[in-house]
Amino acid sequence: MTVTSFNPPLRTLMGPGPSDVHPRVLSALARPTIGHLDPQFVAMMDEMKGLLHHAFQTENPLTIPLSGPGSVGMETCFVNLIEPGDRVIVCQNGVFGGRMKENVERCGATAIMVEDDWGLPVDPGKVEDALKANPGVKAVAFVHAETSTGVQSDAALLCRLAQEHGALSIVDAVTSLGGTPVLTDEWGADAIYSGSQKCLSCVPGLSPVTLSRRAEDVIRGRNHKVQSWFMDLNLIMGYWGDSGASRSYHHTAPINALYALHESLIMLREEGVENAWKRHARMSKALVAGLSAIGLEMLVDETARLPQLNSVKIPEGVNEAEVRRRLLVDYDLEIGAGLGALAGKVWRIGLMGAGATPKNVTLCLGALQAVLTDMKADIGHGDAVQAAQKVLMA
Amino acid sequence: MTVTSFNPPLRTLMGPGPSDVHPRVLSALARPTIGHLDPQFVAMMDEMKGLLHHAFQTENPLTIPLSGPGSVGMETCFVNLIEPGDRVIVCQNGVFGGRMKENVERCGATAIMVEDDWGLPVDPGKVEDALKANPGVKAVAFVHAETSTGVQSDAALLCRLAQEHGALSIVDAVTSLGGTPVLTDEWGADAIYSGSQKCLSCVPGLSPVTLSRRAEDVIRGRNHKVQSWFMDLNLIMGYWGDSGASRSYHHTAPINALYALHESLIMLREEGVENAWKRHARMSKALVAGLSAIGLEMLVDETARLPQLNSVKIPEGVNEAEVRRRLLVDYDLEIGAGLGALAGKVWRIGLMGAGATPKNVTLCLGALQAVLTDMKADIGHGDAVQAAQKVLMA
């Protein structure tokens, strides 16, 4: 076997993530590795916490990047907050609610499911009913931004319902952080996890999390040891803890990936997270205008649509995989397929972080219209690119 | 808070890891991110498996990099192979055997401890006695290369003993892979995990693992679900599995870190893993000759000493933290402190991967002798650097 260095193609990433990574972030990633206990690295970790406070809009002391992808963020929240015998209300309106259920059950707890159709937000009325019918549940868990459908649920209301019934709230913000408002303290959320590779436009592999003081108390007061040694926040707090002097070794931090996240959070801070939210909203509006011009319909109603993840219904009779293949091969453009129940029914077009730009909106619409036209798809006769420009120039 | 881009100092990393990362690897790391289902990325993953086969000296189909640090490798092996109620013989002769015990217990299993002094290898006689006294144990777990002490245990013999008694073997090769022989198939080992940031000289954050077909069967035939969703190899196999066409999404792979590992494995293949083992041995011999010349003693007897991790006894009366601080500040050189029971008693000098060079040996000895002399430590009057050169020139 002869193997040579891998030189990836130069893709434009407009799927559900990873998103386009800015050259500033790639450049930070490649800086020389130093030790995870080096005083200069430790100082950077402290800065990182401050930057994450801005991104999460929180003052929670326990706000750190975990050394694994978003799935590690999810599992860390569940294994630390949930114990065997607990009952947890899990809202499912897509793939990731199902993964929450798996997590609850693997903790030896019971998941009480509140289900909504894929493409709809979580129904707060059903959650309230479930809370009333099940007094004493430990937590309410829901996905703020369902990456599988492009739906946003009302996190403020769901967190408030949990709190009113004495339950913790566990929120999946993998796709929302940096792209649409995540207001940790205003919501009174207890545990929120995200991912580095969506609207933060960092490389995949890190999961920023924030936990309330109430959640910290729950973790410190557990009856059983956390079932995962790697994800045990009691141990991780010893490394990321308050006092710079006494950090204790838990595992070797992914040094270079943390350089990259630090840089991407600086970029978010420079722009200001509120401005980032506005930019995502504007780009999505332009994209949707372009798609409408050629008769393509969105899966999700405007009131619950995520600007950073746009699920588009595939027109009748179109070989959707062939469309994605041609976009990739002819235009170096990646868009996402449908996942789970939506496989073959939608495309997922991401406008995340550094990729939420007029340039990407224009490329995507131009290429998609060209490919669909060439494949003789039954689409409208408007001009997608021109329709988008009207929004962008407004 | 004003935060600027992080520009790390240019350290020479001679601690217990992370080790020096070669510029070729850093350059690969910074290449443009592509999707984790991109056909070109999938092709790279297939190459990676072949490269890992060479590193691990195995034909095991289930040979992949996990998306987390070495602790994820360890926990993945335990949570997949061990079930509640199982009994596992855990050999402890340093920090990492203790972590194995934690893992076993958090799986709901019982750890039968075989303990040896820190600085000694695992005693195979004690392991055999434990196997005889506890028929039906599920596995024998041990650390091949104890990063906390610098000791190498006889993995071939320990794996054979496990096999003779019908037990699986679980081997920690975090510090050994690429630095000292890891002969998976020859040993008949069932599960071996490693880390990217030691003798592979890649950035921290990935854990290569290899599991035997017997181990795969055990995982497929479990009675209980794996307690960790993220580490469930039944699910991970769906993504890294044999058939390129039908990969299913589990989690977003850490794309850029995998570029880096691919490159570091190519470098290992170019050198040849046997030559890498010889280079590590030669550099350690030179380092030890230099240390001896100034009267510094090694913790570990030559017969069990790891060439890539050299534990040196701290001379009486020396402020060891101040020595490390001066090496770091004045020479940009990191060496490791003692860990656990050896804190304050030894320094750990790593010669790992791209850092196992005459250049690093020379720098370390020259700087260490200068600092100790300046601090008026009671050391010998030889010339450390010159003593090392005699070995290097031989």
Side-chain angles (χ1 to χ4, degrees), chain A residues 285-305:
Chain A
K285 205 175 155 194
L287 180 78
V288 172
L291 294 169
S292 301
I294 52 171
L296 297 187
E297 290 173 12
M298 306 305 291
L299 174 73
V300 179
D301 189 74
E302 199 178 344
T303 55
R305 193 184 298 152

Side-chain angles (χ1 to χ4, degrees), chain A residues 33-328:
Chain A
T33 307
I34 61 175
H36 58 285
L37 297 170
D38 193 295
Q40 296 208 31
F41 184 71
V42 168
M44 191 208 71
M45 286 162 62
D46 285 335
E47 286 183 358
M48 180 94 80
K49 287 197 272 187
L51 292 165
L52 285 173
H53 283 161
H54 177 66
F56 276 116
Q57 297 285 289
T58 187
E59 304 282 329
N60 285 338
L62 186 48
T63 304
I64 59 174
L66 298 175
S67 306
S71 326
V72 165
M74 179 189 287
E75 190 163 326
T76 297
C77 291
F78 282 98
V79 297
N80 281 276
L81 293 173
I82 306 305
E83 300 200 49
D86 283 344
R87 288 165 306 136
V88 180
I89 292 177
V90 174
C91 309
Q92 180 167 16
N93 60 339
V95 166
F96 295 92
R99 192 175 291 183
M100 285 178 153
K101 177 173 185 277
E102 277 287 332
N103 270 276
V104 167
E105 291 173 352
R106 290 179 194 222
C107 292
T110 303
I112 298 162
M113 299 305 292
V114 170
E115 301 192 40
D116 283 291
D117 287 345
W118 291 37
L120 292 180
V122 173
D123 181 342
K126 290 188 198 172
V127 173
E128 190 165 18
D129 290 346
L131 279 162
K132 285 179 180 161
N134 297 279
V137 293
K138 180 79 163 282
V140 174
F142 66 90
V143 180
H144 177 222
E146 239 310 336
T147 319
S148 64
T149 62
V151 162
Q152 180 162 204
S153 290
D154 188 343
L157 178 50
L158 293 169
C159 288
R160 202 186 72 212
L161 285 172
Q163 208 160 23
E164 283 172 4
H165 289 79
L168 297 164
S169 48
I170 300 177
V171 185
D172 182 321
V174 169
T175 288
S176 44
L177 190 69
T180 201
V182 172
L183 306 169
T184 306
D185 289 355
E186 195 178 310
W187 296 348
D190 291 301
I192 308 191
Y193 56 88
S194 188
S196 49
Q197 82 286 8
K198 308 279 187 180
C199 297
L200 301 181
S201 277
C202 181
V203 290
L206 294 173
S207 176
V209 296
T210 184
L211 289 101
S212 70
R213 287 180 189 275
R214 186 161 69 134
E216 270 195 65
D217 290 343
V218 168
I219 295 168
R220 290 211 172 88
R222 286 175 61 95
N223 294 317
H224 304 79
K225 268 193 186 176
V226 173
Q227 67 194 41
S228 170
W229 184 91
F230 174 64
M231 301 186 207
D232 186 343
L233 285 170
N234 290 297
L235 304 176
I236 292 169
M237 284 188 263
Y239 178 61
W240 280 94
D242 285 332
S243 56
S246 67
R247 287 180 201 281
S248 60
Y249 165 69
H250 177 254
H251 65 270
T252 304
I255 309 292
N256 291 69
L258 290 166
Y259 295 166
L261 181 61
H262 183 264
E263 188 71 22
S264 69
L265 290 170
I266 287 178
M267 292 179 71
L268 183 66
R269 176 98 183 200
E270 287 171 356
E271 180 177 17
V273 70
E274 296 87 352
N275 293 323
W277 301 333
K278 283 181 205 155
R279 175 169 52 83
H280 283 86
R282 194 163 142 261
M283 293 308 129
S284 176
K285 205 175 155 194
L287 180 78
V288 172
L291 294 169
S292 301
I294 52 171
L296 297 187
E297 290 173 12
M298 306 305 291
L299 174 73
V300 179
D301 189 74
E302 199 178 344
T303 55
R305 193 184 298 152
L306 283 169
Q308 62 271 51
L309 190 63
N310 300 274
S311 290
V312 189
K313 291 184 191 167
I314 294 163
E316 283 292 310
V318 167
N319 178 341
E320 74 85 18
E322 175 63 11
V323 173
R324 286 187 292 111
R325 194 194 67 78
R326 286 194 53 182
L327 290 175
L328 194 69

